[in-house]
Amino acid sequence: MLKRLGAQWSRHALSAKPAVVYPVAVCACLLIGWLLALGAAYLQDRADLQQRAVTIAHQLELQFAQANTALARIDAIAPGSNCELTSRLLAAVVQATPHARYALRTAPDGRVCTSDISRIDNPPAVAAGSTLILRSSQAGSPAFVLQHQGNGGSMLELGAVSLAALLQPGSTGVVAGVRMGSQYLAADGTVHAVDDAVGQGLSYQAATQDGLLEVVVRESWAEVVQHSVLRRLDTLLLAALAGVALGWALLRRQLARNSSSWEIAQGIRNREFFTHYQPIVTAEHGECIGVEVLARWRHPVQGAIRSDLFIPAAEDAGLIVPLTRYLIRRVSKEFKQVALPPGFLVGINIAAEHLGMPDLVEDCKILLAVLREKKAVLVLEVSERFPLPEHQVTHRVVQDLRQMGVKLALDDFGIGHADRNYLRRWGFDYLKVEKGYVSALGKDSFKANILDGLLQTSHQLGVQVIVKGVETQGQQNYLSVKGFQFLQGFYFGKPMTLNHFRQWLYSGITQDRVPSVAAMATGRSEATDR
Ligand code: C2E
Ligand code: CA
């Protein structure tokens, strides 16, 4: 899926104007880089907040553990008949307990003794069984009140403001607080209703073990975003560099493509393309039974350009159809002057997309008219590399061509994924075996076995096999003995101009082809006259 999207994007990017490609690529990479930085900052901040919340909760647990120990000590003080001694004991407990500021002991008869004789609070109104409350404001500042009931009662007050010191944020933009029930103690020591106090943002909570308190650490979204930019400047820089590099690469490709497609179009107009012909022979006697037409380009400045470069470029630029059309017209003219043996095959390479165009039928008519006069047969070669589109139009085009006597060859057979169904569905007349199978003979027994098995399959399917890439007499002998009927390759003849081909054809038409062709293959390769 990702791969397909990537390919689509790249195709789209390449079809855009060069001026657009560059900034789009840079922006896309920056955006991706920033999203990565944001994601990394989010995860980092989340881990930091979690760590901070857990640490604060742990510290609170320690503080309250000390406070509870102090409360147990207060419980153990038996209030005497006068409070003076009790008050002194209570004051000692308060002094020894961090954050404690006040203690109170109630005798069973209701008498109240306090750690601070200048202040006598009423025992705080807590629900029975409740041991801790957060008092929002009494005697000027908020406090946590720990309380025991039974044998009178005991109470210890801890200053919430000093406890809130634990909540001071470690980094800017981080807010911490303690939630207790519906109340919330902020880092500045103020107490609010939870709903008013807790805002939006990335937050993490950690509860104390007794579950009474929950530490909330929060960072606003604005801060998270700011962190992603500030902390991840390195990532952003890398993303920007990647964007520049990608943009540059796309721009270069786009410019190269634009220039090559312009040149191909210009080349078709200026008739810079021409044709070479490569013989197809019988395996046994090397008798020529056909040719394959191969496109050649002589560029006005760069000279001869390899077809494995300009054919894919023409396919990419959407110019393969006009190029093929031009070649078909050219072949039609050229063949008017040549006498051919009856049943002679003329193979033309056709791009898969061209077979899906009804115009192809019209394009072929001109050539067919010429070939019919000579009782020759037109064979359209489609590569196995690109499967034929399973459209009704393509099937109709193939059917129309068949009715006109055109044959179909599956080229480069053995490199793609064509199975029996595919061969039957499209009704191929010839299979042209990919060159690699012949060059593998004697080196790769796996490929050699496949080649052997192919004959049997072809008989079952009623198709004829043409083996390409035959370069030596040994290969020819081997293939002939195995029972292959038709061969093509440098051993018999390299692609040549029509004049050379005509000489070659007429000089050997009645005699055993092999020796004379072998001489020709070494003596005259890829003749260059037009
Ligand atoms: P192809 O259809 O497989 O054409 C045969 C290629 O193999 C030709 O290369 C030919 O020169 C080469 N060849 C022939 N015999 C031998 C041999 O014994 N040994 C070796 N090593 N190579 C041999 P070429 O002319 O460079 O063509 C390359 C490909 O370009 C063709 O492969 C075909 O797919 C494509 N092509 C050429 N002309 C056209 C055209 O007019 N239209 C389309 N659509 N494709 C074309
Ligand atoms: Ca071919």
Side-chain angles (χ1 to χ4, degrees):
M1 174 79 175
L2 275 178
K3 212 172 158 188
R4 215 177 60 217
L5 281 177
Q8 274 174 2
W9 184 81
S10 144
R11 238 169 218 278
H12 184 74
L14 283 172
S15 63
K17 289 199 168 72
V20 179
V21 167
Y22 195 72
V24 165
V26 176
C27 291
C29 283
L30 268 176
L31 182 69
I32 292 169
W34 188 71
L35 286 176
L36 286 175
L38 188 64
Y42 170 82
L43 292 177
Q44 179 68 56
D45 286 5
R46 200 165 165 272
D48 288 351
L49 292 188
Q50 178 175 2
Q51 179 63 41
R52 178 121 186 86
V54 169
T55 308
I56 295 174
H58 187 60
Q59 285 171 330
L60 277 178
E61 270 165 19
L62 287 177
Q63 302 289 353
F64 278 90
Q66 288 170 330
N68 275 318
T69 309
L71 192 64
R73 282 177 60 200
I74 297 170
D75 273 347
I77 299 171
S81 50
N82 88 43
C83 275
E84 201 177 324
L85 178 62
T86 308
S87 293
R88 275 211 302 273
L89 291 172
L90 289 172
V93 173
V94 168
Q95 217 165 14
T97 309
H99 309 298
R101 62 182 193 197
Y102 183 66
L104 180 147
R105 178 81 173 92
T106 312
D109 59 7
R111 265 179 313 113
V112 175
C113 303
T114 72
S115 59
D116 180 356
I117 49 168
S118 64
R119 173 183 161 197
I120 299 179
D121 276 0
N122 288 327
V126 289
S130 171
T131 53
L132 179 68
I133 59 169
L134 175 58
R135 199 159 59 186
S136 62
S137 172
Q138 181 132 355
S141 61
F144 281 104
V145 176
L146 290 84
Q147 180 183 283
H148 271 178
Q149 284 175 334
N151 189 24
S154 312
M155 186 201 97
L156 181 67
E157 183 182 285
L158 302 177
V161 177
S162 48
L163 261 177
L166 294 173
L167 303 173
Q168 290 312 314
S171 56
T172 49
V174 176
V175 179
V178 174
R179 189 154 69 183
M180 195 187 146
S182 59
Q183 288 175 298
Y184 180 85
L185 171 67
D188 61 2
T190 54
V191 176
H192 312 271
V194 168
D195 291 345
D196 302 339
V198 178
Q200 293 292 310
L202 177 63
S203 69
Y204 196 87
Q205 289 103 33
T208 53
Q209 268 179 356
D210 55 13
L212 290 174
L213 301 174
E214 193 173 45
V215 178
V216 181
V217 184
R218 184 173 54 80
E219 186 177 15
S220 69
W221 289 122
E223 288 291 338
V224 176
V225 171
Q226 201 181 329
H227 277 176
S228 75
V229 176
L230 292 179
R231 281 199 210 151
R232 304 286 158 183
L233 272 178
D234 50 351
T235 315
L236 288 180
L237 199 67
L238 278 177
L241 284 176
V244 170
L246 180 70
W248 179 240
L250 286 176
L251 189 68
R252 281 191 55 171
R253 229 182 116 180
Q254 177 71 25
L255 288 174
R257 210 190 112 162
N258 277 358
S259 75
S260 72
S261 58
W262 182 84
E263 282 177 305
I264 291 171
Q266 186 77 356
I268 299 173
R269 270 195 298 277
N270 294 345
R271 298 164 187 269
E272 291 162 13
F273 291 92
F274 59 104
T275 47
H276 269 183
Y277 299 89
Q278 186 177 31
I280 300 168
V281 302
T282 60
E284 210 176 349
H285 299 296
E287 188 187 344
C288 183
I289 53 100
V291 274
E292 175 175 358
V293 179
L294 292 160
R296 295 291 179 262
W297 184 13
R298 187 175 292 114
H299 189 278
V301 180
Q302 295 170 43
I305 294 184
R306 280 169 33 202
S307 61
D308 59 349
L309 295 179
F310 73 76
I311 294 287
E315 282 169 350
D316 263 13
L319 289 170
I320 191 67
V321 173
L323 176 60
T324 309
R325 221 169 253 158
Y326 164 79
L327 292 171
I328 292 177
R329 280 201 304 273
R330 191 169 172 126
V331 174
S332 310
K333 273 189 203 148
E334 291 190 337
F335 266 75
K336 277 188 185 155
Q337 318 147 23
V338 193
L340 299 169
F344 193 81
L345 305 178
V346 177
I348 304 255
N349 290 290
I350 295 282
E353 58 171 294
H354 202 170
L355 263 189
M357 297 182 178
D359 285 356
L360 178 63
V361 178
E362 286 306 311
D363 297 339
C364 289
K365 275 185 183 163
I366 315 155
L367 179 57
L368 271 174
V370 176
L371 296 182
R372 249 189 229 126
E373 270 181 29
K374 299 165 196 287
K375 298 196 169 42
V377 177
L378 174 60
V379 182
L380 298 184
E381 301 187 5
V382 280
S383 175
E384 196 191 338
R385 278 171 226 271
F386 310 102
L388 286 173
E390 300 285 345
H391 292 158
Q392 266 189 343
V393 186
T394 317
H395 280 280
R396 212 174 43 242
V397 170
V398 168
Q399 205 180 345
D400 290 351
L401 289 167
R402 279 195 178 293
Q403 278 170 0
M404 287 159 48
V406 177
K407 305 275 180 201
L408 213 55
L410 182 60
D411 205 357
D412 306 317
F413 183 70
I415 54 160
H417 304 284
D419 55 13
R420 282 165 184 258
N421 283 339
Y422 183 80
L423 299 180
R424 282 208 187 95
R425 204 162 47 247
W426 292 102
F428 288 104
D429 303 284
Y430 296 96
L431 299 181
K432 294 193 76 176
V433 182
E434 208 267 322
K435 290 193 277 281
Y437 284 88
V438 170
S439 56
L441 285 175
K443 299 176 206 155
D444 182 343
S445 57
F446 179 68
K447 277 195 166 175
N449 284 345
I450 294 181
L451 199 55
D452 288 351
L454 181 63
L455 267 186
Q456 207 186 342
T457 315
S458 69
H459 288 144
Q460 287 164 358
L461 291 169
V463 289
Q464 291 190 297
V465 179
I466 301 173
V467 183
K468 301 196 300 183
V470 179
E471 293 182 346
T472 66
Q473 191 171 10
Q475 290 169 344
Q476 189 233 339
N477 288 342
Y478 176 90
L479 292 164
S480 174
V481 169
K482 283 283 172 188
F484 287 95
Q485 257 187 304
F486 305 121
L487 310 178
Q488 178 181 349
F490 290 171
Y491 180 64
F492 307 104
K494 287 194 171 178
M496 55 189 106
T497 60
L498 184 72
N499 278 342
H500 279 119
F501 175 68
R502 212 162 22 183
Q503 287 170 24
W504 179 89
L505 183 70
Y506 298 154
S507 69
I509 199 125
T510 52
Q511 64 199 32
D512 191 326
R513 174 71 55 189
V514 177
S516 60
V517 172
M520 171 127 196
T522 47
R524 273 194 239 144
S525 61
E526 290 273 9
T528 50
D529 57 327
R530 293 162 64 179

